[in-house]
Amino acid sequence: MKNIQFEQLAPDEIEQRSFEIITQELGGRIFDPLQEPIIKRVIHTTADFDYADQLVFSPGVVEHAHRLLQSGACIVTDTKMAMSGINQTALSKLGAEVYNFISDAGVADEAKRRGETRSAVAMEKAARLKRPTIFAIGNAPTALIRLYEMMEKDGFLPGMIIGVPVGFVNVVQAKELILSADVPSIVARGRKGGSNVAAAIVNALMYQLTR
């Protein structure tokens, strides 16, 4: 084996050491204390320090998210991957529930009939939950666009939107729509994001309440 030096860490020490490295590499930057754990959790998930500048928080959104989670709000994701990445132990401690309607037969049929994405139609079904809802969108800009349309045309009021889809087509524009809306939000400006980022933000918000 090549003479490569490894840090000797117990399994439960690896995450702590990772966050120490992140803090060191951020070089003493100062963040809002409620936003800092979220920013660092996303960097931990992606190893991408650009998120220190690209995550945009609407005023008071972290406190608002905490109130939603403590009062029985549900979480809706646009992908099964984001749903599976949300920590089940933290969900259970908060009594929260997570939903994903992308594979719902009715959603698929309606999307095909109308020539729209399943992600967009899934947001319409989620809006009928009639509960305060945190939307965690990590893949589909069409989901963000549909949420914006429902807010503008139908008076729909999401509890909160996490808008972090990744990609090239309509991604930047969809995020800017959410940033322009009067809705509590955490948005990753630009092209970067992903289902793992959406799940990381949800988890960071829950960990602030459960750890």
Side-chain angles (χ1 to χ4, degrees), residues 71-115:
S71 63
C74 60
I75 301 161
V76 169
T77 69
D78 63 327
T79 64
K80 294 286 189 182
M81 181 179 174
M83 183 180 188
S84 66
I86 293 173
N87 186 283
Q88 294 297 313
T89 300
L91 274 174
S92 179
K93 287 180 179 178
L94 291 167
E97 296 178 287
V98 60
Y99 296 90
N100 179 272
F101 298 117
I102 199 72
S103 298
D104 184 89
V107 166
D109 291 344
E110 182 68 10
K112 184 177 181 179
R113 184 184 70 81
R114 288 160 45 184

Coordinates of all heavy atoms in Angstrom, one line a residue, residues 71-115:
S71 N -45.5 22.0 15.2 CA -46.9 22.0 15.2 C -47.6 21.0 14.3 O -48.8 21.1 14.0 CB -47.4 23.4 14.9 OG -47.1 23.8 13.6
G72 N -46.8 20.0 13.8 CA -47.4 19.0 13.1 C -47.5 19.2 11.6 O -48.3 18.5 10.9
A73 N -46.6 20.1 11.0 CA -46.6 20.3 9.6 C -46.1 19.0 8.9 O -45.4 18.2 9.5 CB -45.7 21.4 9.2
C74 N -46.5 18.8 7.7 CA -46.0 17.7 6.9 C -45.0 18.2 5.9 O -44.9 19.4 5.6 CB -47.2 17.0 6.2 SG -48.1 18.0 5.0
I75 N -44.2 17.3 5.4 CA -43.2 17.6 4.4 C -43.5 16.9 3.1 O -43.9 15.7 3.1 CB -41.8 17.1 4.9 CG1 -41.4 17.8 6.3 CG2 -40.7 17.4 3.9 CD1 -40.4 17.1 7.0
V76 N -43.4 17.6 2.0 CA -43.7 17.0 0.7 C -42.4 17.2 -0.1 O -41.9 18.3 -0.3 CB -44.9 17.7 0.0 CG1 -44.9 17.3 -1.5 CG2 -46.2 17.4 0.7
T77 N -41.9 16.1 -0.7 CA -40.8 16.1 -1.6 C -41.2 15.9 -3.0 O -42.3 15.4 -3.3 CB -39.7 15.0 -1.2 OG1 -40.3 13.8 -1.5 CG2 -39.4 15.1 0.3
D78 N -40.3 16.3 -4.0 CA -40.6 16.0 -5.4 C -40.0 14.8 -5.9 O -40.2 14.4 -7.0 CB -40.1 17.2 -6.2 CG -38.6 17.5 -6.2 OD1 -38.0 17.2 -5.1 OD2 -38.1 17.9 -7.2
T79 N -39.1 14.1 -5.1 CA -38.5 12.9 -5.5 C -38.5 11.9 -4.4 O -38.5 12.2 -3.2 CB -37.1 13.1 -6.0 OG1 -36.3 13.5 -4.8 CG2 -37.0 14.1 -7.1
K80 N -38.5 10.6 -4.7 CA -38.3 9.5 -3.7 C -37.0 9.6 -3.1 O -36.8 9.3 -1.9 CB -38.5 8.2 -4.4 CG -39.9 7.9 -5.0 CD -40.9 7.6 -3.9 CE -42.2 7.1 -4.5 NZ -43.2 6.9 -3.4
M81 N -36.0 10.1 -3.8 CA -34.6 10.2 -3.2 C -34.6 11.2 -2.1 O -34.0 10.9 -1.0 CB -33.6 10.6 -4.3 CG -32.2 10.7 -3.9 SD -31.1 11.2 -5.2 CE -29.6 11.4 -4.3
A82 N -35.2 12.3 -2.3 CA -35.3 13.3 -1.2 C -36.0 12.7 0.0 O -35.6 12.9 1.1 CB -35.9 14.6 -1.7
M83 N -37.1 12.1 -0.3 CA -37.9 11.5 0.8 C -37.1 10.5 1.6 O -37.1 10.5 2.8 CB -39.2 10.8 0.2 CG -40.1 10.2 1.2 SD -41.5 9.5 0.4 CE -42.6 9.1 1.7
S84 N -36.3 9.6 0.9 CA -35.6 8.6 1.6 C -34.4 9.2 2.3 O -33.9 8.6 3.3 CB -35.1 7.5 0.6 OG -34.1 8.1 -0.3
G85 N -33.9 10.4 2.0 CA -32.8 11.0 2.6 C -33.2 11.7 3.9 O -32.3 12.2 4.6
I86 N -34.5 11.9 4.2 CA -34.9 12.6 5.4 C -34.8 11.6 6.6 O -35.3 10.5 6.5 CB -36.3 13.2 5.2 CG1 -36.3 14.3 4.1 CG2 -36.9 13.7 6.5 CD1 -37.6 14.8 3.7
N87 N -34.2 12.1 7.7 CA -34.0 11.3 8.8 C -35.2 10.8 9.5 O -36.0 11.7 10.0 CB -33.0 12.0 9.8 CG -32.6 11.1 10.9 OD1 -33.3 10.9 11.9 ND2 -31.3 10.7 10.8
Q88 N -35.5 9.5 9.6 CA -36.7 9.0 10.1 C -36.8 9.2 11.6 O -37.8 9.4 12.2 CB -36.9 7.5 9.7 CG -37.1 7.3 8.3 CD -38.3 8.0 7.7 OE1 -39.4 7.8 8.3 NE2 -38.2 8.7 6.6
T89 N -35.6 9.1 12.3 CA -35.6 9.2 13.8 C -36.0 10.6 14.2 O -36.9 10.8 15.1 CB -34.2 8.9 14.3 OG1 -33.9 7.6 14.0 CG2 -34.2 9.1 15.8
A90 N -35.5 11.6 13.5 CA -35.9 13.0 13.8 C -37.3 13.3 13.4 O -38.0 14.0 14.2 CB -35.0 14.0 13.0
L91 N -37.8 12.7 12.3 CA -39.2 12.9 12.0 C -40.1 12.3 13.1 O -41.1 12.9 13.5 CB -39.5 12.1 10.7 CG -39.3 12.8 9.3 CD1 -39.5 11.7 8.2 CD2 -40.2 13.9 9.1
S92 N -39.7 11.1 13.6 CA -40.5 10.5 14.6 C -40.5 11.3 15.9 O -41.6 11.4 16.5 CB -40.0 9.1 14.9 OG -40.7 8.4 15.9
K93 N -39.4 11.9 16.3 CA -39.3 12.7 17.5 C -40.3 13.9 17.4 O -40.8 14.3 18.4 CB -37.9 13.2 17.7 CG -37.0 12.1 18.2 CD -35.6 12.6 18.4 CE -34.6 11.5 19.0 NZ -33.3 12.1 19.1
L94 N -40.4 14.4 16.2 CA -41.2 15.6 16.0 C -42.7 15.3 15.7 O -43.5 16.2 15.6 CB -40.7 16.5 14.9 CG -39.3 17.2 15.2 CD1 -38.7 17.7 13.9 CD2 -39.5 18.3 16.2
G95 N -43.0 14.0 15.4 CA -44.3 13.6 15.0 C -44.7 14.1 13.6 O -45.8 14.3 13.3
A96 N -43.6 14.3 12.8 CA -43.9 14.8 11.5 C -44.0 13.7 10.5 O -43.6 12.5 10.7 CB -42.7 15.7 11.0
E97 N -44.6 14.0 9.3 CA -44.8 13.0 8.2 C -44.2 13.6 6.9 O -44.3 14.8 6.7 CB -46.3 12.7 8.1 CG -46.9 12.1 9.3 CD -48.4 11.8 9.0 OE1 -49.2 12.8 9.1 OE2 -48.8 10.7 8.8
V98 N -43.8 12.7 6.1 CA -43.3 13.1 4.8 C -44.0 12.4 3.7 O -44.3 11.2 3.8 CB -41.7 12.9 4.7 CG1 -41.4 11.4 4.8 CG2 -41.2 13.4 3.4
Y99 N -44.4 13.1 2.6 CA -45.1 12.6 1.5 C -44.4 12.8 0.2 O -43.7 13.8 0.0 CB -46.5 13.3 1.4 CG -47.4 13.1 2.6 CD1 -47.4 13.9 3.7 CD2 -48.3 12.0 2.6 CE1 -48.2 13.8 4.8 CE2 -49.2 11.8 3.7 CZ -49.1 12.7 4.8 OH -50.0 12.5 5.8
N100 N -44.6 11.9 -0.7 CA -44.2 12.0 -2.1 C -45.3 11.4 -3.0 O -45.6 10.3 -2.8 CB -42.8 11.4 -2.3 CG -42.4 11.5 -3.8 OD1 -42.7 10.7 -4.6 ND2 -41.6 12.6 -4.0
F101 N -45.7 12.2 -4.0 CA -46.8 11.8 -4.8 C -46.4 11.5 -6.3 O -47.3 11.3 -7.1 CB -47.9 12.8 -4.8 CG -48.5 13.0 -3.5 CD1 -48.4 14.3 -2.8 CD2 -49.2 12.0 -2.8 CE1 -49.0 14.5 -1.6 CE2 -49.7 12.2 -1.5 CZ -49.6 13.5 -0.9
I102 N -45.1 11.4 -6.5 CA -44.6 11.3 -7.9 C -45.0 10.0 -8.5 O -45.2 9.9 -9.8 CB -43.1 11.5 -7.9 CG1 -42.6 11.8 -9.4 CG2 -42.4 10.3 -7.4 CD1 -43.0 13.2 -9.8
S103 N -45.2 8.9 -7.7 CA -45.6 7.6 -8.3 C -47.1 7.3 -8.2 O -47.5 6.2 -8.5 CB -44.8 6.5 -7.6 OG -43.4 6.7 -7.8
D104 N -47.8 8.3 -7.7 CA -49.3 8.1 -7.5 C -49.9 7.9 -8.9 O -49.7 8.7 -9.8 CB -49.9 9.4 -6.8 CG -51.3 9.2 -6.6 OD1 -51.7 8.7 -5.5 OD2 -52.1 9.6 -7.4
A105 N -50.7 6.9 -9.0 CA -51.3 6.6 -10.3 C -52.2 7.7 -10.9 O -52.1 8.0 -12.1 CB -52.2 5.3 -10.2
G106 N -52.9 8.3 -10.0 CA -53.7 9.5 -10.4 C -52.9 10.6 -10.9 O -53.3 11.3 -11.9
V107 N -51.8 10.9 -10.3 CA -50.9 11.9 -10.7 C -50.3 11.6 -12.1 O -50.3 12.5 -13.0 CB -49.8 12.1 -9.7 CG1 -48.6 13.0 -10.2 CG2 -50.3 12.8 -8.4
A108 N -49.9 10.4 -12.3 CA -49.3 10.0 -13.5 C -50.3 10.1 -14.7 O -50.0 10.6 -15.8 CB -48.7 8.6 -13.4
D109 N -51.5 9.7 -14.4 CA -52.5 9.7 -15.5 C -52.9 11.2 -15.8 O -53.0 11.5 -17.0 CB -53.8 9.0 -15.0 CG -53.6 7.5 -14.9 OD1 -52.6 7.0 -15.5 OD2 -54.4 6.8 -14.3
E110 N -53.0 12.0 -14.8 CA -53.4 13.4 -15.1 C -52.3 14.1 -15.8 O -52.5 14.9 -16.7 CB -53.7 14.1 -13.7 CG -54.1 15.5 -13.8 CD -55.5 15.7 -14.5 OE1 -56.2 14.7 -14.7 OE2 -55.8 16.9 -14.8
A111 N -51.0 13.9 -15.4 CA -49.9 14.5 -16.1 C -49.8 14.1 -17.5 O -49.6 14.9 -18.4 CB -48.6 14.1 -15.4
K112 N -50.1 12.8 -17.8 CA -50.1 12.4 -19.2 C -51.2 13.0 -20.0 O -51.0 13.4 -21.2 CB -50.2 10.8 -19.3 CG -50.1 10.3 -20.7 CD -50.1 8.7 -20.6 CE -50.0 8.2 -22.0 NZ -50.0 6.7 -22.0
R113 N -52.4 13.1 -19.4 CA -53.5 13.6 -20.1 C -53.3 15.1 -20.5 O -53.7 15.5 -21.5 CB -54.8 13.5 -19.2 CG -56.1 14.0 -19.9 CD -57.2 13.9 -18.9 NE -57.1 14.9 -17.9 CZ -57.5 16.1 -18.0 NH1 -57.9 16.6 -19.1 NH2 -57.4 17.0 -17.0
R114 N -52.7 15.8 -19.6 CA -52.5 17.3 -19.8 C -51.1 17.6 -20.4 O -50.9 18.8 -20.7 CB -52.6 18.0 -18.4 CG -54.0 18.0 -17.9 CD -54.1 18.3 -16.4 NE -53.3 19.4 -15.9 CZ -53.2 19.7 -14.6 NH1 -53.9 19.0 -13.7 NH2 -52.4 20.6 -14.2
G115 N -50.3 16.6 -20.6 CA -49.0 16.9 -21.2 C -48.1 17.7 -20.3 O -47.3 18.5 -20.7

